[in-house]
Amino acid sequence: MGSRISDMTLLNGKKIKENKMYKVAGWATVGSKSAGAPVWDVVADYCRDKQTIKLDRIETPTLKGVSSNPGIADYVGKLT
């Protein structure tokens, strides 16, 4: 706890600020891949359908140090 997320930046390269609020989506599966689409796609589709917020783009996170995890073998984002 307290060290799982680090070096977090936006797509434009700006660092995430501690005192600013951001909208994010995620779920935590352990040891296997979740069935279905990634949660950020599900949330984006819902928001577009309900027109709750305007989404210009979805930023898929770069995951570091987890490339050997079988649960993300077909991850569409960048792995380092």
Side-chain angles (χ1 to χ4, degrees):
M1 189 161 79
S3 63
R4 292 183 68 185
I5 297 174
S6 63
D7 192 28
M8 210 166 162
T9 59
L10 299 172
L11 189 60
N12 62 11
K14 291 185 180 180
K15 293 268 188 193
I16 296 290
K17 296 180 182 176
E18 288 182 29
N19 59 350
K20 187 172 178 184
M21 295 186 80
Y22 299 89
K23 291 181 174 84
V24 299
W27 61 52
T29 56
V30 178
S32 65
K33 182 181 179 220
S34 296
V39 68
W40 40 84
D41 289 341
V42 174
V43 171
D45 289 346
Y46 175 84
C47 290
R48 287 182 186 113
D49 181 55
K50 300 298 180 188
Q51 299 179 349
T52 56
I53 59 173
K54 183 177 183 273
L55 298 172
D56 295 324
R57 68 177 184 275
I58 300 171
E59 296 184 22
T60 303
T62 296
L63 304 179
K64 297 180 178 183
V66 295
S67 59
S68 63
N69 183 326
I72 56 172
D74 58 353
Y75 182 65
V76 296
K78 184 177 176 184
L79 299 172
T80 62

